[in-house]
Amino acid sequence: MLAIRPTCEHCNTSLPYDSEEAMICTFECTYCRDCVENVLHEVCPNCGGNFTPRPVRPKDLLEKYPVSKKIVHKPVDVQAHLRRIGKI
């Protein structure tokens, strides 16, 4: 089951369970759409995979299956990431 993390790992922007701005990779690394598109260039800095919009957990299931409260804030070394993916 998805953890549904509460914030962007890079910029720490809030991403509530129903946010349409939340993007995840196959390992559930969670970033906001702005960081994915404009900073990360659609490549996960942790695994090198792509991103997809994070599904929205139905509100009526939140009590039984709560979302994660764990904040993962690991700002990306943008220059190193861009070198790794061949953008500079």
Side-chain angles (χ1 to χ4, degrees):
M1 179 177 335
L2 292 176
I4 312 283
R5 294 179 185 153
T7 62
C8 173
E9 288 185 30
H10 178 65
C11 72
N12 212 30
T13 293
S14 177
L15 296 169
Y17 79 94
D18 59 350
S19 175
E20 293 184 11
E21 295 301 308
M23 306 289 286
I24 60 172
C25 75
T26 190
F27 291 100
E28 284 191 72
C29 300
T30 304
Y31 295 91
C32 67
R33 186 178 304 277
D34 184 52
C35 285
V36 166
E37 293 174 354
N38 300 310
V39 177
L40 305 175
H41 297 272
E42 308 279 344
V43 179
C44 179
N46 300 316
C47 70
N50 66 326
F51 289 95
T52 190
R54 183 182 70 192
V56 172
R57 183 158 299 155
K59 194 172 190 174
D60 61 333
L61 294 177
L62 290 174
E63 188 173 325
K64 185 174 182 180
Y65 303 105
V67 298
S68 176
K69 293 181 188 214
K70 180 181 178 187
I71 293 175
V72 178
H73 185 221
K74 304 183 307 188
V76 175
D77 179 337
V78 176
Q79 293 303 312
H81 176 68
L82 294 177
R83 278 193 298 278
R84 194 170 32 255
I85 65 172
K87 294 290 184 179
I88 58 171

